[in-house]
Amino acid sequence: MTELDAEQKGMAHAIAVRLWQSRWLLAAGVLAVLIAFAFASVSAYVLVLALFLLLAAAMLPAGGLRQSAEDASAIEAIGLQRLSGEYLAAAVADPLIIFDHAATIVHANAAAFAAFGGIAPGISLPLKFRAPEMQALLDSVLSGTVASDVVDYTEKLPVERAYRVSASSVGHGTDLYVLVFKDQSEARRIDRMRADFIANASHELRTPLASIAGFIETLRGPARNDPAAREQFLQIMQNQTGRMARLIDDLLSLSRLEMKPYLKPGTEVDLRQTVDSVIDSLAPLARENGLVIERDFAKGPLDVPGDRDELFQVFENLLENACKYGQSGGRVLVTIAHADDVSEPGIEVTIRDFGPGIPEEHIPRITERFYRVDVETSRTQKGTGLGLSIVKHILTRHNARLSIKSEVGKGAAFSVYLPAH
């Protein structure tokens, strides 16, 4: 009962305060209503309604919009007071460094420690980042020439990373500044890859086109009436157009693979049947190169989730390469075995040739587009330089792995690991 009385008294006090704060407005309104009642002959009901509305308006807090804005500002101030610069820096995913007017590090977030290492409060930024562009950036911001500035900076060690670095002052009168490093490495890598891809593709297409144009000119001129030369040139032209067709087909395959989402395991693929079909289809090529394809398949079911057509393309590319580039070894061994890894059991398919092998320095780049260990040999074998890139894309879609082992003079082994689930 006491609490209820106190609450009622509080409400009454609040009402009284609001009426007192609005007393002049309320008095003017009552006077206006009385004058209207006296001279306009309005009804008593209208008078009562007007007085009621006037009283309700007086109960509203004066400057309601201003009060709401002040309340919002107060809430914002209280919320920001709970945040420290350290918390805000930690919430930024990019490397961030706060420094003072002497270019000394005050604070660095976890991303900055991971990216640059050896960063701690008290370290001089000009000594940490000695590149001329970083020195110029710090000088321009600290001198007050500009409020903020942006430069491109490349960190060489431990691996090369490209950053877009922005520097700006923090607040007013704090004598603090902030550096934010936006990693551009992946974007630049993709740009370089795109530029290299266009350059390589245009070069690969330009070479046969120039050859065809030259032969056409010869056939229309000196070799017009030479049947033997005409037959020879037409055969070369047919080979060149076939090469361009294979290149375009491989480019389209890569484009289709890049547009597809990652494969969702649904259908089962029988690897025994798939690899057998690949061997049968390439048997004429093996005989032509004087090779024998040997099989060594594990017993029991050899099923994996995946797309049969795409896996057929993978093993066709690998076996075709083994037949073309390993023909001096006289045989190719195709092995399918269970890879009973404790963490992720699966099946491993290995295609091994006994040819000249691949030098070790080429192995990390061999799946890049248009990368060739020996350009002349590849073109002689009608290669486009895209086969292993296609293999890599398909295996990535299947959550599979490709490993390459080779020793010069002893052949090369390409192993495909496919998860069983």
Side-chain angles (χ1 to χ4, degrees), residues 272 298-303 336-341 345-348 417 420:
R272 187 193 309 276
K299 296 181 180 180
L302 297 172
D303 298 336
I336 305 179
H338 291 281
D340 295 326
D341 190 338
I347 296 175
E348 189 171 69
Y417 171 82

Side-chain angles (χ1 to χ4, degrees), residues 5 31 51 89 93 97 124 151 162 192 203 234 242 246 303 316-317 337 350 358 372 377 386 391 394:
D5 291 341
L31 181 60
L51 290 173
I97 298 174
S124 173
V151 298
R192 283 197 302 268
H203 172 74
L234 288 175
R246 289 192 300 273
D303 298 336
E316 184 181 41
N317 269 310
T350 301
I358 304 169
R372 293 181 172 95
T377 302
L386 295 173
V391 167
I394 293 175

Side-chain angles (χ1 to χ4, degrees), residues 215-227:
F215 287 129
I216 290 174
E217 184 178 352
T218 304
L219 288 173
R220 296 180 66 182
R224 181 191 299 269
N225 299 317
D226 188 341

Side-chain angles (χ1 to χ4, degrees), residues 6 8 19 41 131 144 154 157 212 224 246 259 278-279 289 304 306 327 332 370 372 407:
Q8 291 174 349
L19 288 174
S41 299
T154 301
L157 297 173
I212 292 171
R224 181 191 299 269
R246 289 192 300 273
M259 292 176 64
V278 170
I279 294 174
N289 290 331
V304 295
Q327 58 182 330
V332 174
F370 295 112
R372 293 181 172 95
E407 188 175 345

Side-chain angles (χ1 to χ4, degrees), residues 158-172:
V159 294
E160 184 172 332
R161 309 291 295 179
Y163 295 97
R164 174 63 59 87
V165 187
S166 60
S168 60
S169 58
V170 180
H172 300 285

Side-chain angles (χ1 to χ4, degrees), residues 139-161:
D139 290 342
S140 64
V141 173
L142 291 174
S143 64
T145 306
V146 293
S148 61
D149 203 358
V150 178
V151 298
D152 290 325
Y153 167 68
T154 301
E155 181 79 4
K156 300 295 184 181
L157 297 173
V159 294
E160 184 172 332
R161 309 291 295 179

Side-chain angles (χ1 to χ4, degrees), residues 40-363:
S41 299
V42 296
S43 115
Y45 294 106
V46 176
L47 175 63
V48 173
L49 180 59
L51 290 173
F52 176 77
L53 292 175
L54 185 62
L55 182 62
M59 292 296 294
L60 293 174
L65 293 176
R66 178 169 51 82
Q67 186 67 29
S68 297
E70 292 175 355
D71 292 344
S73 298
I75 293 172
E76 182 181 7
I78 293 172
L80 290 177
Q81 286 174 2
R82 296 175 184 173
L83 294 176
S84 67
E86 183 178 354
Y87 292 154
L88 292 174
V92 177
D94 298 317
L96 182 147
I97 298 174
I98 301 173
F99 60 100
D100 59 17
H101 64 280
T104 301
I105 296 176
V106 175
H107 177 73
N109 66 359
F113 279 103
F116 307 116
I119 291 180
I123 291 178
S124 173
L125 274 176
L127 294 179
K128 178 63 180 175
F129 300 100
R130 298 174 182 270
E133 60 270 23
M134 289 296 291
Q135 302 284 332
L137 175 66
L138 294 173
D139 290 342
S140 64
V141 173
L142 291 174
S143 64
T145 306
V146 293
S148 61
D149 203 358
V150 178
V151 298
D152 290 325
Y153 167 68
T154 301
E155 181 79 4
K156 300 295 184 181
L157 297 173
V159 294
E160 184 172 332
R161 309 291 295 179
Y163 295 97
R164 174 63 59 87
V165 187
S166 60
S168 60
S169 58
V170 180
H172 300 285
T174 61
D175 284 337
L176 291 178
Y177 305 85
V178 63
L179 282 177
V180 180
F181 296 77
K182 189 71 176 178
D183 196 341
Q184 304 286 312
S185 304
E186 184 65 16
R188 294 191 182 185
R189 186 189 67 81
I190 292 173
D191 287 341
R192 283 197 302 268
M193 185 176 67
R194 185 183 296 113
D196 292 343
F197 176 73
I198 293 172
N200 288 324
S202 61
H203 172 74
E204 293 293 330
L205 289 171
R206 188 183 296 114
T207 301
L209 282 173
S211 175
I212 292 171
F215 287 129
I216 290 174
E217 184 178 352
T218 304
L219 288 173
R220 296 180 66 182
R224 181 191 299 269
N225 299 317
D226 188 341
R230 184 169 59 248
E231 183 63 27
Q232 179 186 0
F233 292 160
L234 288 175
Q235 181 61 50
I236 296 174
M237 291 166 64
Q238 183 178 3
N239 293 339
Q240 295 292 348
T241 54
R243 178 184 166 197
M244 284 194 295
R246 289 192 300 273
L247 178 61
I248 292 171
D249 287 342
D250 284 350
L251 289 173
L252 290 175
S253 293
L254 271 176
S255 298
R256 284 192 294 266
L257 288 170
E258 289 176 344
M259 292 176 64
K260 289 181 180 180
Y262 281 98
L263 186 71
K264 295 181 179 179
T267 59
E268 292 286 329
V269 179
D270 184 349
L271 286 182
R272 187 193 309 276
Q273 181 184 14
T274 303
V275 176
D276 273 334
S277 299
V278 170
I279 294 174
D280 293 340
S281 68
L282 292 176
L285 177 64
R287 285 195 299 269
E288 181 182 336
N289 290 331
L291 285 167
V292 176
I293 301 177
E294 302 174 358
R295 296 175 171 88
D296 183 10
F297 296 171
K299 296 181 180 180
L302 297 172
D303 298 336
V304 295
D307 183 288
R308 185 187 183 279
D309 292 337
E310 291 186 3
L311 291 178
F312 184 96
Q313 191 174 7
V314 166
F315 300 122
E316 184 181 41
N317 269 310
L318 295 178
L319 185 56
E320 185 177 2
N321 285 345
C323 292
K324 287 180 178 179
Y325 303 110
Q327 58 182 330
S328 61
R331 66 190 182 103
V332 174
L333 176 61
V334 181
T335 304
I336 305 179
H338 291 281
D340 295 326
D341 190 338
V342 176
S343 60
E344 190 180 21
I347 296 175
E348 189 171 69
V349 181
T350 301
I351 297 175
R352 174 175 174 77
D353 67 72
F354 298 87
I358 304 169
E360 186 178 356
E361 63 270 18
H362 293 287
I363 292 177

